Amino acid sequence: MKPCVTPLSFSTGMAAALLITGCATDNSQRPHAAAVAGPPGTVPTDMFCEAGTNEISIPVGNIFAEGEQVRDFYSGRMARVQDGQVTLKPADDAEGLVLLEPADDSIGQFKWAGATVYFAVTDRFANGRTDNDLNYGRERDGKDEIGTFHGGDFAGLTQKLDYLSQLGVNAVWITPPFEQMHGWVGGGDRGDFRHYGYHGYYALDFTVPDANFGTREEFRTLVEEAHKRDIRVVMDVVMNHPGYSTLQDMQTFGFGSLYEGFAKHLPDQWGQWQPESWENNHAYHAFIDYDHSDWRQWWGKDWVRAGIADYDTPPNASIDAQRGSLAFLPDFKTESEQTVDLPLFLKNKTSSRAEAMADATVRDYLVTWLTSWVRDFGVDGFRVDTAKHVEPEAWNELKQQAQQALNDYRAANPDAALPAEEFWMVAEVFPHSVRRSGYFDAGFDAVINFDLQEEANAGAKCLPAMESVYQDYASRMHGETPFNVMSYISSHDTNLFSRIAGGDPVLQKRAAAALLLTPGAVQIFYGDETGRPFGATGSDPHQGTRSDMNWADLEQPETANILGHWQALGQFRDRHPAVGAGAHKLISQQPYTFSRTHGDDRIIVAFARK
C-alpha cells in the first residue's frame, strides 16, 4: 500500500497508529481528565478562592525551632518563631503565598528529583541569527506559517540563558538538534499546510545540526554557557524513527523514484510544487512510485519498516507498539541483530559525519550517533521520545553508552563548568502517571507524568485543591523504592495552560504555584510563565501549542506581573531542592500550610485566603 501521510506533527507516544484502511488518526489515547478528590476541608475543584493580603499566623510544626528566625522568600520579610508559629503578611503580588525558609541563606544542593526543566522548541523560542532562517531550499508558505521554520536557533537560546536563570531554571530541554528532512509533507488531516521538521522530530542525519538551528560551534557555546550558569542541557532524542521522505529530499539525494513521465508535472525544484485548487498538500504522493527499486538508496529495508518497495510493512502500532509505525513514519529496526551497512544516501552525503561501522546493527549506529553529542559537547541528559515504541534493551544500552560518553567528556575537559556527573534520562510514555513502572529498570531516571495538566487547573483556581495531589505524588515517589516523574501544565502535543485558562491572567499567574510546588521534577513549557497564546493550527490541533515565544508581551505590565510571580517561585524552588525532592507534610488546613524536607533542606509554604 502507498503511504498516506497525515503526520500529527510530532511523533509522540500519543501519535497515530498506522491504519491500513487509509488516512486517519487514532484519538483513543488522548489525555484523560484526572479526578481531583480532596480530603475534608479542601476546596472543591471548580471553586475560585480569593487570595488574602492580611497578616496571618502560620504554624511551623517541627520544621523550624522555637526562637528561630525565618524569612518569607517572596517578600523578604523576617519573623521569629514564637509558640510554634510565625506571623507574616504576604507580599501584595504573592497571590496569598508565604514561602518560608531559614534566615541564614542556606541553599540546598541540586537534585534531579526536584529539577525545574524548561522545554523550549528551538525554532519557536528566540531568533539569534536571521541569516540562517531558511536553508536547504526551504520556503515560507506566505500564509499562516503553521508548519514552516520560524527562525529560532542555538544562538537565540544562548542569548536567553540569563532569562532562564532568573526564572530559577536548572535544566533546559531542547528539541532534537539534528539535520531534518529538507522538504515538507502535507500537514494535518486535511493537508492544509506545508509541514517541515521545524520541531526536530523528522531527522534526516543524526550526526550534524540542522543549519536552521545553527552550527556545531554554536551548539557548543550553548552548552558551555548553560553550564556556566549551572543549567543542565537535556537534549530530545528519537530512536524510533527518522523523518519522512519528501520530494525535495528525493531530488537532492537521489533516492526513490517518480512514475515515468511525471517529472514534467513538477517545477525544477521539486520542493516548490504547489497543489491545484482542487488538491491538498497530500496530493504529491500521486507522482511517486513507491514500488521502485531505487528506494534502496534511502534508508534501505535492513534499517526501517516502511511498507514501500521491498521494505517490510510495519504492523499496526496499537497491536505491536515496538514494531509499529507512528504517523506513517519509517520505523527503525532497533531490535534487529542483523549487521547493517551505512545507508547509501548517508554514504554519499558529503556534509554527514556518519561513518561506516564494522559489525554494527541499526541500534549500534543510532546509539553511537546520539551519544556522540554527549561526548563532543557535554550534554547532561536525554528526553527520550516515544519510549514505549522501542524495546527496553535499547534504552539500557543508550543510558550506559551516554554515561560513558559523559565520563569521556569530563576527562577531556577537566576545567569546564560541568554541573552533572550522572547522565539523566527521562522517558515520554503516554499516558504514564505517577507510578513506578518497568521503564525505571530500562535506564530511565524519570518518566513524564501526564496527569498534572488537568489536576493543576483546580490548583490554579485555589491552591489548597492541590493538597491531595501533592500528598499522593510525594507518598508514591518516596515509597519503599523511590522514583521520579516530570510533571507539566502545558505541552507541545496536548494543550497550553493559557488556553485552558481562557487567557485569564490571574489563573496564568496562579498556575505557577500549582506547578512549581509539585513534588518531583517539573517542566515549564516555554511561555507558561508569560501566558504565551495559542497560535495558528490548521487541521492539526497541536500546531497551535508551538506558537512563537511572546517576547514583546513582556513590555506589558500585566505580563510582567505574571512573569515576576513565576520568577519568585522558580527561584525559591531552585534554592530549595526539598520543594521537589522532599517529603511532603500537611501542617494546617487554615491557613493552608505544608512543609517539604530533604536532608538539611527545609521549607514551609502557606497560603492566605480572604
Side-chain angles (χ1 to χ4, degrees):
M1 188 194 84
K2 305 298 184 293
C4 184
V5 180
T6 57
L8 290 184
S9 69
F10 279 31
S11 103
T12 69
M14 300 159 55
L18 176 63
L19 301 181
I20 60 174
T21 55
C23 285
T25 55
D26 177 8
N27 293 315
S28 63
Q29 298 190 87
R30 295 294 179 228
H32 57 279
V36 185
T42 59
V43 177
T45 60
D46 60 347
M47 182 180 293
F48 185 93
C49 60
E50 295 290 339
T53 56
N54 295 327
E55 197 172 68
I56 57 171
S57 295
I58 304 167
V60 299
N62 61 356
I63 304 303
F64 298 117
E66 187 72 15
E68 183 175 0
Q69 192 171 40
V70 297
R71 172 176 51 219
D72 171 20
F73 177 78
Y74 204 112
S75 67
R77 296 172 182 140
M78 298 284 193
R80 194 172 297 280
V81 177
Q82 294 183 341
D83 298 325
Q85 63 183 18
V86 296
T87 302
L88 279 165
K89 181 180 184 293
D92 290 341
D93 291 332
E95 293 298 328
L97 288 171
V98 176
L99 310 175
L100 293 180
E101 64 178 3
D104 60 5
D105 284 324
S106 59
I107 299 176
Q109 186 176 4
F110 170 83
K111 301 289 182 184
W112 277 111
T116 304
V117 183
Y118 193 91
F119 174 23
V121 175
T122 301
D123 176 68
R124 304 297 171 88
F125 185 60
N127 192 346
R129 283 179 48 203
T130 57
D131 62 324
N132 67 355
D133 285 359
L134 293 173
N135 296 277
Y136 314 120
R138 293 169 180 155
E139 299 178 328
R140 306 286 192 200
D141 65 20
K143 301 175 183 177
D144 292 328
E145 309 299 341
I146 295 170
T148 58
F149 280 84
H150 288 195
D153 48 29
F154 304 144
L157 274 165
T158 303
Q159 292 169 11
K160 298 299 184 181
L161 288 172
D162 287 338
Y163 169 86
L164 298 185
S165 290
Q166 293 164 9
L167 192 56
V169 167
N170 41 45
V172 57
W173 156 17
I174 62 171
T175 43
F178 323 120
E179 183 177 339
Q180 298 296 291
M181 62 185 198
H182 294 180
W184 53 269
V185 292
D189 292 338
R190 298 196 300 268
D192 49 339
F193 60 91
R194 290 185 175 191
H195 186 180
Y196 289 94
Y198 70 87
H199 40 63
Y201 293 85
Y202 294 165
L204 174 79
D205 186 343
F206 290 84
T207 69
V208 292
D210 193 279
N212 272 60
F213 302 147
T215 66
R216 282 174 58 85
E217 286 311 307
E218 286 170 328
F219 187 81
R220 187 184 310 281
T221 297
L222 168 62
V223 177
E224 290 177 349
E225 290 298 316
H227 286 169
K228 289 177 184 178
R229 293 162 176 79
D230 205 31
I231 296 174
R232 294 135 192 88
V233 177
V234 178
M235 193 176 87
D236 212 325
V237 298
V238 188
M239 268 177 55
N240 175 250
H241 59 263
Y244 300 102
S245 63
T246 70
L247 283 173
Q248 190 165 318
D249 294 292
M250 289 172 63
Q251 185 179 34
T252 300
F253 298 105
F255 58 71
S257 178
L258 303 177
Y259 285 111
E260 186 175 351
F262 274 53
K264 65 184 180 183
H265 300 294
L266 294 174
D268 290 341
Q269 296 298 316
W270 294 358
Q272 296 177 353
W273 172 82
Q274 296 276 0
E276 299 291 345
S277 59
W278 62 86
E279 297 176 315
N280 63 28
N281 285 302
H282 295 316
Y284 72 85
H285 290 289
F287 298 115
I288 301 174
D289 182 358
Y290 284 107
D291 291 324
H292 201 282
S293 61
D294 280 354
W295 284 101
R296 68 178 181 275
Q297 297 179 59
W298 189 36
W299 286 96
K301 66 177 183 179
D302 293 337
W303 273 80
V304 299
R305 286 172 280 263
I308 60 175
D310 62 349
Y311 291 57
D312 293 337
T313 298
N316 190 308
S318 64
I319 296 174
D320 189 338
Q322 293 177 8
R323 290 172 173 80
S325 172
L326 300 178
F328 307 98
L329 286 153
D331 183 66
F332 277 132
K333 294 183 174 181
T334 51
E335 81 291 344
S336 175
E337 297 181 2
Q338 177 182 347
T339 59
V340 295
D341 197 1
L342 195 64
L344 285 171
F345 84 96
L346 285 178
K347 279 187 178 181
N348 298 326
K349 184 175 180 288
T350 58
S351 62
S352 182
R353 298 173 65 86
E355 298 179 351
M357 297 166 53
D359 301 321
T361 64
V362 171
R363 186 195 299 175
D364 292 334
Y365 273 101
L366 291 171
V367 169
T368 298
W369 293 342
L370 296 177
T371 57
S372 70
W373 292 79
V374 182
R375 183 171 286 102
D376 292 350
F377 303 109
V379 169
D380 305 275
F382 287 156
R383 179 268 186 187
V384 171
D385 185 66
T386 58
K388 71 178 177 183
H389 298 287
V390 176
E391 63 283 354
E393 295 81 6
W395 300 132
N396 268 315
E397 184 173 341
L398 180 66
K399 175 64 176 294
Q400 293 168 12
Q401 293 299 318
Q403 182 63 60
Q404 183 59 56
L406 183 59
N407 294 344
D408 293 345
Y409 181 85
R410 294 178 66 85
N413 299 273
D415 298 325
L418 293 168
E421 292 187 13
E422 295 184 0
F423 193 81
W424 190 70
M425 280 193 1
V426 56
E428 181 243 0
V429 185
F430 181 81
H432 207 283
S433 58
V434 182
R435 59 188 177 86
R436 195 184 190 287
S437 64
Y439 290 96
F440 294 93
D441 301 318
F444 290 105
D445 302 286
V447 176
I448 293 175
N449 165 37
F450 287 85
D451 282 353
L452 187 74
Q453 185 169 51
E454 291 289 341
E455 295 166 336
N457 188 28
K461 294 174 183 175
C462 196
L463 185 64
M466 295 301 295
E467 174 54 32
S468 61
V469 177
Y470 291 165
Q471 184 61 56
D472 181 55
Y473 282 19
S475 62
R476 287 173 183 265
M477 286 189 283
H478 296 291
E480 185 175 339
T481 306
F483 63 95
N484 193 22
V485 299
M486 184 168 74
S487 303
Y488 69 89
I489 61 169
S490 297
S491 171
H492 61 284
D493 56 6
T494 57
N495 212 333
L496 290 183
F497 185 83
S498 65
R499 194 182 193 205
I500 296 172
D504 185 331
V506 175
L507 292 181
Q508 289 170 181
K509 183 178 180 180
R510 286 183 164 203
L515 174 67
L516 296 177
L517 298 177
T518 295
V522 297
Q523 169 221 299
I524 300 173
F525 191 34
Y526 74 107
D528 275 344
E529 75 281 10
T530 58
R532 175 173 59 89
F534 192 77
T537 204
S539 63
D540 180 347
H542 298 146
Q543 294 293 331
T545 67
R546 304 151 207 163
S547 56
D548 290 341
M549 178 63 179
N550 57 329
W551 295 112
D553 291 347
L554 270 60
E555 303 299 322
Q556 303 300 318
E558 186 174 80
T559 303
N561 181 261
I562 294 170
L563 175 60
H565 188 66
W566 279 79
Q567 288 173 331
L569 282 160
Q571 291 170 19
F572 180 68
R573 182 182 172 92
D574 185 40
R575 285 169 61 87
H576 297 289
V579 175
H584 174 90
K585 183 178 180 180
L586 176 66
I587 296 176
S588 168
Q589 292 275 12
Q590 185 59 38
Y592 175 51
T593 307
F594 64 81
S595 66
R596 300 275 171 82
T597 56
H598 186 278
D600 294 332
D601 191 24
R602 54 207 167 99
I603 62 94
I604 284 177
V605 174
F607 173 72
R609 295 175 57 189
K610 283 187 178 179

